[in-house]
Amino acid sequence: MKKTQAPLSEVLITALAPTIWGSTYFVTTSFLPHGYPLTVAFLRALPAGLLLLAIVRQLPQGIWWLRAFVLGGLNFSFFWAMLFVSAYRLPGGVAATVGAIQPLIVILLSRIFLGRPIHAVAVGAGVVGMTGVALLVLTPNAALDPIGVAAGIAGAVSMAFGTVLTRRWVPPVSNLAFTAWQLTAGGILLAPVAFFVEPTLPVPTAANVLGIAYLGLIGAAFTYLLWFRGLARIEPSAAASLGFLSPVTATFIGWLALGQSLTPAQIFGFAMVLASVWLSQRTMSVRPTRPDASPEPASRPA
């Protein structure tokens, strides 16, 4: 089947996910208790996954039990754990810049697992995006911690593998059920780690409940539903480039809600990120692969 360029509407819908993810830092620091990152990640994933499971009422079958836990571990459990390690050991700007390597990893993995060609323009767009993120979030006094850098790279690799395998493994169910499986599996994998590594969460306040509800319902269930939907329609490399929008959103919220200033370098970085996203979408294409994304129904035997 001939490939066609991804419709702008599909790109914009998918871009909502990383844009909303950019609000996670503000919500976490403003509404949640400090020092419980894994517990918060568990509470973000499992209740949202169980809620979606209650809606779809459909469990994995056969090999999809294993695949659901592999994808749940890559996209949520391991990724979020490494993300928090990186965030705790590195300044926010350094952590974001290290994580911005993900689109380049996705380009390589797409070549290995999906047979997609490596476009020089796509690689260049990834480098431009990383540079834009660095200008946007790095500070002159940013320090490097080897463990933090390693955790940031590991998290980027984990999410990149999850992005590519989500496209490779075409589920026999709706996108809603597919999201429910992964969120639930990711939450189950996080539960024992959070229980044994972190102290017991104190009695939550109204602000804590509001923050956890936002991260679970909006920051997880809704956004990952959009994200996995987009991965069924947009090339993984193009979708991964949309992740650059997260630090843009975080910086904008910091300026709007926290009174942080924007320097000329940050404004230039903002422009570079947008240029990178635009270039990535121009060089990639879409090819529906899932049953709920295909315009033609699959034929069935009589």
Side-chain angles (χ1 to χ4, degrees):
M1 181 170 60
K2 184 179 180 180
K3 292 183 180 182
T4 57
Q5 188 177 353
L8 179 61
S9 60
E10 298 291 352
V11 175
L12 292 177
I13 292 173
T14 307
L16 277 176
T19 301
I20 294 174
W21 292 338
S23 65
T24 300
Y25 177 79
F26 171 75
V27 173
T28 300
T29 55
S30 301
F31 291 90
L32 300 182
H34 298 285
Y36 303 90
L38 296 178
T39 302
V40 169
F42 156 73
L43 292 174
R44 181 183 180 186
L46 187 59
L50 292 176
L51 175 62
L52 295 183
L53 273 182
I55 295 175
V56 299
R57 298 183 181 181
Q58 191 171 14
L59 294 175
Q61 300 293 327
I63 190 62
W64 281 102
W65 280 104
L66 175 61
R67 290 180 175 178
F69 275 90
V70 169
L71 291 174
L74 291 172
N75 286 323
F76 300 107
S77 308
F78 187 76
F79 170 63
W80 281 349
M82 292 298 99
L83 185 67
F84 282 122
V85 171
S86 175
Y88 272 110
R89 300 187 69 98
L90 295 173
V94 177
T97 304
V98 172
I101 197 176
Q102 181 195 329
L104 296 176
I105 301 174
V106 169
I107 291 174
L108 176 61
L109 295 180
S110 295
R111 175 60 182 170
I112 296 173
F113 292 99
L114 303 178
R116 301 294 194 264
I118 296 178
H119 298 282
V121 176
V123 175
V127 174
V128 170
M130 281 190 63
T131 305
V133 170
L135 290 174
L136 195 63
V137 299
L138 279 181
T139 61
N141 298 324
L144 296 179
D145 175 80
I147 296 178
V149 172
I153 294 175
V157 172
S158 177
M159 187 63 174
F161 265 104
T163 298
V164 173
L165 290 180
T166 297
R167 181 62 180 260
R168 179 178 175 86
W169 291 339
V170 183
V173 294
S174 68
N175 185 57
L176 187 65
F178 192 43
T179 305
W181 294 354
Q182 293 191 56
L183 277 171
T184 304
I188 291 174
L189 292 173
L190 278 167
V193 181
F195 180 80
F196 288 107
V197 172
E198 294 181 349
T200 304
L201 190 71
V203 177
T205 63
N208 296 158
V209 173
L210 183 62
I212 292 175
Y214 173 83
L215 292 180
L217 297 177
I218 305 299
F222 176 67
T223 55
Y224 278 96
L225 184 63
L226 297 180
W227 182 249
F228 294 139
R229 176 186 180 277
L231 290 180
R233 294 162 167 81
I234 302 173
E235 285 295 312
S237 300
S241 71
L242 297 175
F244 290 138
L245 297 175
S246 288
V248 169
T249 303
T251 303
F252 181 76
I253 291 176
W255 170 74
L256 187 65
L258 303 178
Q260 299 173 352
S261 60
L262 289 178
T263 66
Q266 286 179 304
I267 296 174
F268 184 62
F270 176 83
M272 291 185 69
V273 167
L274 295 184
S276 169
V277 172
W278 180 80
L279 280 174
S280 296
Q281 305 312 312
R282 295 289 295 177
T283 55
M284 295 294 113
S285 58
V286 63
R287 181 171 59 186
T289 58
R290 291 186 189 161
D292 60 342
S294 176
E296 299 178 1
S299 61
R300 297 183 179 181

